[in-house]
Amino acid sequence: MGGRRTKDDDEVIGAPGTELLADADRADAWFLVVEGTPQSHVDLADPTHLDFSYVRRMAHAADLVAPEGEPIDVLHLGAGALTLARYVAHTRPGSRQRAVDVDAPLVELVRRRLPWDRRAQLRVGIGDAREWIAARHDASADLIVSDVFAGARTPARLTSVEFYAEAARVLRPGGLLVVNVGDGGALTHTRGQVATVREVLPHVVLSAAPGVLRGRRFGNLVLTAAPGPLPVDGLSRRAHRDPEMARLLADEELDRFVSGRAPVRDTDAVDSPAPPDDLF
């Protein structure tokens, strides 16, 4: 992650297992850290500033899901500090967004200390992400963002065919599902996730930093999926031009990446792998 964090007494605000740390490099920006894991970065003065490279890659999908500036309907599984929701509200005024998080104290901390623009049509609820998405109407979302971590791991029940089938049901025909995947080494978990999502959404691409794709370090991979053709060229160009250049796997290259992997179902799903102890 970018930026230098400070821990002066007047810059650290705690909730159970949670801290907000001031970004010393930006006047009105904060890092949200949960159980020692950096979860979000928010610049209250400039919601288009996205400090984490994987968040920028998720934002690429938000940029391309509809014509520039057009309002969209977005569902966020995992609220964090609402970085991407703030970005969408700024770049696509009038968008209707709903977010859910199981951590009520975290949501209250963000609501109190990192307030978002009240003109934004953004509602944040407390609940289990899988139960919450199952209660949404068919074909009601243009974009679904799945960025759920318990500490530094995605719970198993949010990695299965059954879970992704619910997300696919809620997507509109031209919609996109974006998933943040934490993995490293042989990327066994990620390969399984690609195979799993493909069971219900046939069009999939994967983006990550070259070092992560080569197994040299643990990091965030962004999986983008859709019921119809994806804007592969646009996603690829944006990934390549990013300040922290990323690679995008699609088509035959992604076929080779996932070769031989079986989809994950509820009966055999496991949490995503834990990052190395010294990563953060």
Side-chain angles (χ1 to χ4, degrees), residues 73-87:
D73 292 330
V74 189
L75 302 178
H76 301 267
L77 309 183
L82 297 165
T83 306
L84 194 58
R86 298 169 199 260
Y87 175 87

Side-chain angles (χ1 to χ4, degrees), residues 244-261:
E244 298 179 46
M245 187 184 73
R247 283 191 60 209
L248 187 131
L249 303 185
D251 303 324
E252 293 83 2
E253 194 171 19
L254 190 64
D255 292 341
R256 291 192 294 272
F257 177 83
V258 76
S259 178
R261 299 293 171 176

Side-chain angles (χ1 to χ4, degrees), residues 4-194:
R4 184 167 60 88
R5 296 175 294 162
T6 63
K7 295 191 72 171
D8 295 343
D9 290 343
D10 62 346
E11 294 173 315
V12 180
I13 303 96
T18 304
E19 290 181 310
L20 290 178
L21 280 66
D23 183 345
D25 295 330
R26 301 184 71 89
D28 202 12
W30 298 83
F31 293 95
L32 174 67
V33 181
V34 179
E35 297 180 9
T37 301
Q39 295 280 19
S40 304
H41 178 277
V42 169
D43 188 326
L44 297 180
D46 181 7
T48 67
H49 176 78
L50 304 177
D51 196 78
F52 295 173
S53 60
Y54 80 88
V55 176
R56 294 195 297 272
R57 284 184 272 122
M58 297 171 85
H60 297 161
D63 291 340
L64 294 168
V65 71
E68 183 176 354
E70 182 177 297
I72 56 176
D73 292 330
V74 189
L75 302 178
H76 301 267
L77 309 183
L82 297 165
T83 306
L84 194 58
R86 298 169 199 260
Y87 175 87
V88 170
H90 186 85
T91 59
R92 296 182 175 278
S95 293
R96 295 179 299 181
Q97 300 188 81
R98 297 190 66 185
V100 66
D101 203 289
V102 73
D103 191 337
L106 182 150
V107 171
E108 178 55 31
L109 175 66
V110 170
R111 191 188 305 275
R112 178 167 46 91
R113 297 305 305 242
L114 303 176
W116 54 90
D117 189 339
R118 294 306 176 186
R119 294 171 296 180
Q121 297 183 53
L122 171 60
R123 297 165 56 191
V124 184
I126 308 302
D128 174 84
R130 181 154 168 180
E131 294 176 1
W132 188 82
I133 196 70
R136 308 280 70 82
H137 294 300
D138 292 358
S140 58
D142 300 301
L143 179 66
I144 299 175
V145 180
S146 182
D147 190 8
V148 181
F149 284 81
R153 306 179 73 176
T154 300
R157 64 197 309 269
L158 302 179
T159 68
S160 67
V161 168
E162 291 85 349
F163 164 69
Y164 289 123
E166 288 293 344
R169 175 186 61 79
V170 175
L171 274 182
R172 292 181 175 136
L176 299 177
L177 167 68
V178 182
V179 184
N180 178 22
V181 181
D183 203 359
L187 301 178
T188 301
H189 176 73
T190 305
R191 296 173 199 271
Q193 286 300 281
V194 174

Side-chain angles (χ1 to χ4, degrees), residues 204-267:
V204 180
V205 297
L206 181 72
S207 65
V212 175
L213 281 175
R214 295 188 184 112
R216 294 177 180 171
R217 63 182 178 88
F218 196 98
N220 298 92
L221 304 97
V222 173
L223 188 158
T224 304
L230 286 160
V232 176
D233 290 344
L235 291 169
S236 183
R237 282 195 303 271
R238 284 165 170 77
H240 184 75
R241 294 172 181 171
D242 189 82
E244 298 179 46
M245 187 184 73
R247 283 191 60 209
L248 187 131
L249 303 185
D251 303 324
E252 293 83 2
E253 194 171 19
L254 190 64
D255 292 341
R256 291 192 294 272
F257 177 83
V258 76
S259 178
R261 299 293 171 176
V264 175
R265 301 190 181 275
D266 278 344
T267 52

